[in-house]
Amino acid sequence: MKRIFTFLLLSANFFYAQKQLTDSLKGFSYAELKKKFNDYDEKDKIQESKIIAKYYLQKAKSEKNNLQMAEGYLLVHFNEDFPLAMKYIDSVFIVTKNTRESSYDAIAYRMKGNLYYKNDNLKAALDNYIVSLKYAQRQKDQKLIAYANLNIAYINSHIGRNVEAAKMFRHYYDSNELSESEHNQTRVNLINCYIESDQLDSVGVLIKEGLDYSTKNQNKYSVNQYLYLSGFSYLKQKKYEQAIGEFSKAYDYFSDIEDNNANYVLYSLGKSYEGLNDKKKTVEYFTKLDANVEKTNITFPDLRDVYTFLIDYYKDNDDTQKQLYYIDRFLKVDKKLDEQFKYLSTELPKKYDTPNLLREKENIINDLNNNKISLYASISVLLLILILFIYLYYKSKKTEKQYRKIAQDLIHSIEKSIWNQLKFRRMNLARRKPSH
């Protein structure tokens, strides 16, 4: 009875708080609601962000505002499970299908890609990111182009192409095209690529910047991402004790919220204890990791190390039953990883790298052609100026010659006139001379 009363009391409190928040949203504009949603989302307040998203969608429906309905569906999908989230994304296509010059196709395809990525369907994720990029390029929307490129870079990183991915992350990290939170997430991805590719020089500075930003913004999720990266950096430097300290803090947080990052931390904890030659602890963490992977079916390439270690461990301990179990688990996981890797390593260059290179080549050719046109135009202008200068020069010379002739003729005329006058005076003087 006491438990039922406690449950009812908590439920009443929850619904009262929910109603209070909903009532407080009345009168807010769409922009203000979206900002409020992002603020709650940043602070890991899932229930509050859910309420705001649903209110946003209801407001748009009541006002029959299709574009804001699309925005509402996007907000609502963030906190839903895969099937329902996908239905909300499909609703975006429906309400914007008659909208001219809409950027929502690029946005919706990117969101679908994110959902597929989250659920470990990397083939579908890549395909949707490629479509999103095409729509963004068609719209010439630099922000949406950036998002698609960053998501594709993340897939590049996932299959081990960390140097290529780091270049893309660095490009956008140094640009002014991202918001503060997007810039922060790009920093997380950039650090991960640097550590994976053993470029550890500037990692410490970037991690400190990230921790300062996350602490200032009270973003626990982000703080723990940087704790994990700090541990990962220590692991790469074989500073296993320091690594375990950072990983343990991050694991407590990610496992508590049932986030997939907990699996990466479990793997890293196992590798740290392997580095310390503590096989029992390594087995403990790798066994936990396998249990999570079996439950969620979400994989990542480093799992191969996990299963080979467990197989060898139980072989050395003559435990054939567990050895066979982990052989079977390895074969299942390896098959999935192999299929994904083959598809991604083939399709990424074909659908992304090659088109990008061709586009870059076309841009270079266009630039060269434009430079040639500019050069020819400049030469033509200079020639025209030169011709005009020559024409004006010769015209001025001709005019000068004409003026000189006129002046000379005038002088001759004056001279002739004076001479005639003198001559005339002499004749008159001769006539007037007295006779002797």
Side-chain angles (χ1 to χ4, degrees), residues 240-394:
Y240 301 118
E241 297 287 356
Q242 293 99 313
I244 290 166
E246 300 288 62
F247 289 142
S248 298
K249 287 181 273 187
Y251 180 69
D252 287 343
Y253 175 80
F254 288 126
S255 60
D256 189 50
I257 64 169
E258 297 182 356
D259 186 88
N260 191 52
N261 275 317
N263 286 352
Y264 292 103
V265 185
L266 281 173
Y267 169 76
S268 301
L269 277 164
K271 293 301 286 183
S272 299
Y273 280 110
E274 186 184 358
L276 292 172
N277 206 27
D278 188 337
K279 291 187 178 182
K280 286 187 179 180
K281 275 286 188 182
T282 305
V283 169
E284 179 189 332
Y285 285 111
F286 281 176
T287 304
K288 275 186 187 178
L289 175 55
D290 170 64
N292 286 354
V293 170
E294 190 174 23
K295 186 168 66 176
T296 62
N297 199 31
I298 295 174
T299 59
F300 54 96
D302 293 326
L303 286 172
R304 289 189 177 99
D305 289 346
V306 171
Y307 292 112
T308 53
F309 182 91
L310 291 171
I311 290 164
D312 290 342
Y313 177 81
Y314 287 112
K315 182 181 177 182
D316 293 341
N317 287 273
D318 297 321
D319 191 335
T320 53
Q321 190 177 351
K322 285 190 176 178
Q323 184 186 351
L324 285 171
Y325 169 79
Y326 286 114
I327 287 172
D328 182 54
R329 291 288 300 131
F330 173 79
L331 292 172
K332 285 180 182 176
V333 169
D334 189 61
K335 184 183 177 185
K336 184 178 180 182
L337 288 170
D338 197 44
E339 285 173 358
Q340 285 187 346
F341 185 85
K342 281 180 180 175
Y343 182 83
L344 296 172
S345 59
T346 303
E347 297 301 306
L348 262 170
K350 187 165 71 180
K351 291 183 177 178
Y352 181 70
D353 294 349
T354 302
N356 272 359
L357 287 171
L358 289 171
R359 197 175 298 110
E360 195 173 333
K361 179 184 174 183
E362 190 179 329
N363 289 339
I364 291 169
I365 290 169
N366 287 337
D367 286 343
L368 288 171
N369 288 335
N370 289 336
N371 288 338
K372 279 183 181 177
I373 291 167
S374 298
L375 180 63
Y376 292 150
S378 299
I379 291 170
S380 299
V381 169
L382 287 171
L383 282 171
L384 284 171
I385 291 169
L386 183 62
I387 290 166
L388 182 63
F389 177 78
I390 292 168
Y391 169 75
L392 291 172
Y393 175 77
Y394 279 107

Side-chain angles (χ1 to χ4, degrees), residues 41-100:
D41 196 46
E42 280 267 301
K43 292 172 183 174
D44 304 325
K45 293 188 176 181
I46 295 170
Q47 289 304 325
E48 289 87 344
S49 63
K50 266 187 171 184
I51 293 165
I52 294 165
K54 285 181 179 177
Y55 180 82
Y56 190 110
L57 182 58
Q58 287 168 1
K59 175 179 165 72
K61 283 181 176 179
S62 67
E63 294 176 3
K64 296 180 181 178
N65 187 328
N66 280 7
L67 288 182
Q68 294 302 339
M69 279 167 63
E71 200 68 44
Y73 284 126
L74 290 173
L75 294 181
V76 170
H77 103 277
F78 282 114
N79 294 314
E80 299 296 343
D81 292 331
F82 181 82
L84 187 55
M86 195 59 79
K87 284 181 182 177
Y88 283 128
I89 295 297
D90 287 336
S91 297
V92 174
F93 292 111
I94 294 167
V95 297
T96 60
K97 66 180 178 181
N98 296 322
T99 307
R100 294 183 65 189

